[in-house]
Amino acid sequence: MYYCTDCKNFFNDPIKFKEKDYAFGEHCEISLFCPHCKSSYIKKTEAEYCRCCGRRLRKGQHIYCSRACMKNGDRLYKLQKERKARLMDSPIYVIVRKLREYNEKHKTNLSYGQFVSGAYE
């Protein structure tokens, strides 16, 4: 999506003008122009999409397209946060954190298997 700063119009396809300069080899420069007013003062705008459903947002909308998407987005965020908390409390993550602390404290470089088997003692 492009935006013309002169005529204030949005458009998808600008007019492309290709200039070739044979004096310095096969150099090619592409210029973009507004299809409405033929101005070269255009900006490429990034479209924003709803974080929940993926619809394109209208002017004035910034994160979600509707209240339903906002509620659903908040619900999904809470579920993801709870899932991550359960994952971090799992036995493997607990052992890996203990292993990291042990290696830092004793200046060693034990692997997970060595630490669990007790080969460090």
Side-chain angles (χ1 to χ4, degrees), residues 4 7 9-11 15 33-39:
C4 178
C7 67
N9 283 319
F10 288 93
F11 51 93
I15 297 172
F33 296 96
C34 173
H36 303 285
C37 68
K38 310 296 188 254
S39 171

Side-chain angles (χ1 to χ4, degrees), residues 73-91:
D74 289 342
R75 182 184 64 82
L76 291 172
Y77 177 76
K78 287 176 186 174
L79 286 173
Q80 183 178 359
K81 193 174 178 181
E82 290 169 3
R83 184 182 149 271
K84 186 173 181 180
R86 282 194 312 270
L87 182 68
M88 295 307 280
D89 290 338
S90 72

Side-chain angles (χ1 to χ4, degrees), residues 65-77:
C65 65
S66 65
R67 289 200 182 273
C69 280
M70 184 185 303
K71 287 180 182 178
N72 195 25
D74 289 342
R75 182 184 64 82
L76 291 172
Y77 177 76

Side-chain angles (χ1 to χ4, degrees), residues 45 47 50 52 57 63 65-66 72 95 98 108 110:
T45 60
C50 178
C52 183
L57 297 177
I63 298 173
C65 65
S66 65
N72 195 25
I95 292 172
K98 287 180 183 178
T108 59
L110 296 176

